[in-house]
Amino acid sequence: PAKPARSHFWMWLFIALVLGVVFVGQYVFFNINSLSQNLKLRPVLHTMCDLAPCEVPLMKSPHLVTLVERDIRNHPKEKDILVVKAKIKNKASYAQAYPFMGLSLHDITGQTIAERRFKPGEYLPTNTDLSKGLSPQQTIDITLELVDPGKDAVGFEFNFF
C-alpha cells in the first residue's frame, strides 16, 4: 500500500510543477508590457522569449526625453500655417520607445487655446524604424506643420508621455 501513495505523490508534484510553469508563462505573456519596464526583470524576459515566441517591448521613460531645442514660426510660403521645429534627446542609458508628444499653444494668460498629441509615427521622419527605439543619448530633429490657431497663441509647451 505504501508504493501507490508514493507514486501518487510524484504524479501530483509533477502536475503541480507543470501547472505552476503554465501559470507563470501566462502571467508573463499577459503582463509583459508592464514587466518589461523593470530593468532587473528584462534579462529574464529576454531568456524566456528566446524559448517562447514573444518579444520584449522597449523601455518607456518619457521623463528621460528632454527638449533640447524648440521653435515655432509662421510658414514662409503658406498662409495660416505654423512650422514647429524641435530637437529631442534620450537622456536614458538605454534605448527606449519613442514617446508620444503633446504640444499645447497658450494665450497671454496661460490658457490653452489649442492642443494636440502626436504618435511617434506622426512626428518622426517616414523612414524611422520605430521598433529600434530612441538610442541612449540620441538626438532627433522634429519638424511639423500645423494650422495656425490665430493671433492669440503667444506661448507653447511640449510634453512627452
Side-chain angles (χ1 to χ4, degrees):
K3 283 194 176 190
R6 192 164 207 198
S7 66
H8 286 295
F9 169 78
W10 290 111
M11 179 184 70
W12 284 111
L13 180 62
F14 176 75
I15 290 171
L17 287 173
V18 168
L19 291 174
V21 168
V22 168
F23 173 75
V24 169
Q26 285 183 333
Y27 181 80
V28 169
F29 179 79
F30 289 107
N31 295 289
I32 196 161
N33 286 331
S34 60
L35 293 172
S36 69
Q37 300 308 301
N38 184 325
L39 286 172
K40 294 178 182 177
L41 288 179
R42 288 185 70 79
V44 175
L45 294 174
H46 280 291
T47 302
M48 289 179 74
C49 285
D50 288 341
L51 301 172
C54 62
E55 189 174 316
V56 180
L58 289 167
M59 291 288 294
K60 293 179 183 175
S61 303
H63 64 282
L64 293 175
V65 175
T66 59
L67 195 60
V68 180
E69 294 176 18
R70 60 186 167 72
D71 186 39
I72 297 181
R73 297 185 185 271
N74 290 322
H75 195 285
K77 297 178 183 174
E78 301 290 328
K79 185 180 178 189
D80 297 328
I81 301 292
L82 295 176
V83 177
V84 178
K85 291 190 176 200
K87 189 178 282 195
I88 62 172
K89 182 176 184 177
N90 179 14
K91 293 216 171 181
S93 61
Y94 46 82
Q96 65 169 306
Y98 291 100
F100 285 71
M101 181 179 72
L103 173 61
S104 54
L105 301 173
H106 306 280
D107 65 12
I108 197 163
T109 66
Q111 293 292 326
T112 301
I113 58 172
E115 183 174 31
R116 176 143 179 228
R117 294 182 176 188
F118 299 91
K119 296 177 185 176
E122 294 175 314
Y123 68 81
L124 293 170
T126 55
N127 60 350
T128 304
D129 184 1
L130 296 176
S131 66
K132 290 185 179 180
L134 192 55
S135 299
Q137 305 305 312
Q138 180 182 3
T139 302
I140 297 280
D141 290 316
I142 297 169
T143 302
L144 300 167
E145 292 183 359
L146 306 172
V147 174
D148 189 346
K151 295 177 184 173
D152 290 338
V154 294
F156 58 95
E157 180 180 11
F158 286 89
N159 292 304
F160 301 102
F161 49 96

